[in-house]
Amino acid sequence: SALKPSREQVEAELAQFRGEIEQVPPMYSAIKVNGKPLYRLAREGITIEREARRFLIVYLELTEYAFPFVEIKLRCSHGFYVRGLADDLGRALGCGGHVSALRRLGVADLTVDDSMTMEALSSLADQTERRKSLVPADQGLCHIPEVRLSVDAAYYLCRGQAVRAAGLPKHGEVRIYSTDAGFIGVGQVTDDGRLAPRRLMVG
């Protein structure tokens, strides 16, 4: 685009994306409509109306600007599309926009400051030290509800079946624990109130 927004204009337009906002999910997303992911429809050249979803943008900071590149740091609620933000900001500025690089700095209470490269982990000769350097697999999932299953229910869930469970929320994802195996993965509450497997760590 021939339009070259100033830094002040970029800052001004960013203000509308802070706090509680609504975002229309992009067509190239995994959200399902009538059981079919939007990205599959998009690949077929089909565009449909999508309902806006509410998100919380805790903070949104312009860290660097050298046209045509904008560097932004933000903290947002689960499910927010940063690609959608780039598109929306570009539209607001009248010049268009897309993501050229994206780096996740943290999730839940885990941050890159606490991370370790595979090379650094491999350099630890002692197995005990290696184990101490690893965090539990469920530590990054503390933001979603917890559900505990009996041994029998966990058995059927791990074989792909939806099961009944006490204490399920009405919808959304949950982290799943078995009485004998501990944390076993993430599940999804179905429309009929059962728990279906989504990502499991055991089989």
Side-chain angles (χ1 to χ4, degrees), residues 110 134-142 175 177 183-186 201:
L110 302 177
L134 301 176
V135 298
D138 59 338
Q139 186 169 321
L141 300 170
C142 58
R175 49 194 165 107
Y177 297 83
F183 176 67
I184 59 175
V186 175
M201 300 184 63

Side-chain angles (χ1 to χ4, degrees), residues 12-172:
E13 293 297 345
L14 280 175
Q16 65 182 293
F17 300 106
R18 295 187 177 102
E20 286 194 12
I21 68 169
E22 288 192 344
Q23 182 189 60
V24 176
M27 279 300 301
Y28 280 94
S29 64
I31 296 172
K32 292 184 178 180
V33 175
N34 296 325
K36 194 168 186 178
L38 287 176
Y39 67 82
R40 289 188 180 175
L41 296 175
R43 288 173 182 171
E44 296 171 8
I46 300 172
T47 300
I48 63 172
E49 291 291 325
R50 287 95 66 200
E51 288 188 13
R53 297 184 170 194
R54 295 195 67 81
F55 297 98
L56 176 63
I57 308 302
V58 180
Y59 68 79
L60 177 60
E61 176 187 358
L62 176 63
T63 56
E64 191 172 328
Y65 179 54
F67 185 82
F69 297 104
V70 173
E71 184 177 282
I72 293 171
K73 185 176 182 180
L74 74 153
R75 183 177 181 182
C76 56
S77 55
H78 175 72
F80 182 72
Y81 286 92
V82 177
R83 289 182 290 116
L85 172 63
D87 182 60
D88 291 340
L89 178 61
R91 290 177 186 274
L93 291 168
C95 60
H98 69 274
V99 172
S100 61
L102 179 62
R103 185 186 184 202
R104 187 186 295 271
L105 300 177
V107 59
D109 60 346
L110 302 177
T111 70
V112 292
D113 295 332
D114 302 318
S115 63
M116 176 181 287
T117 65
M118 288 300 297
E119 290 77 9
L121 184 63
S122 299
S123 69
L124 299 175
D126 186 70
Q127 290 290 342
T128 301
E129 288 300 315
R130 290 187 185 183
R131 293 192 186 96
K132 287 181 180 179
S133 300
L134 301 176
V135 298
D138 59 338
Q139 186 169 321
L141 300 170
C142 58
H143 59 290
I144 62 176
E146 169 188 330
V147 170
R148 295 193 173 270
L149 299 180
S150 66
V151 174
D152 288 343
Y155 173 86
Y156 289 109
L157 185 88
C158 290
R159 280 150 185 80
Q161 298 184 35
V163 299
R164 299 287 180 186
L168 284 179
K170 292 183 179 180
H171 54 79

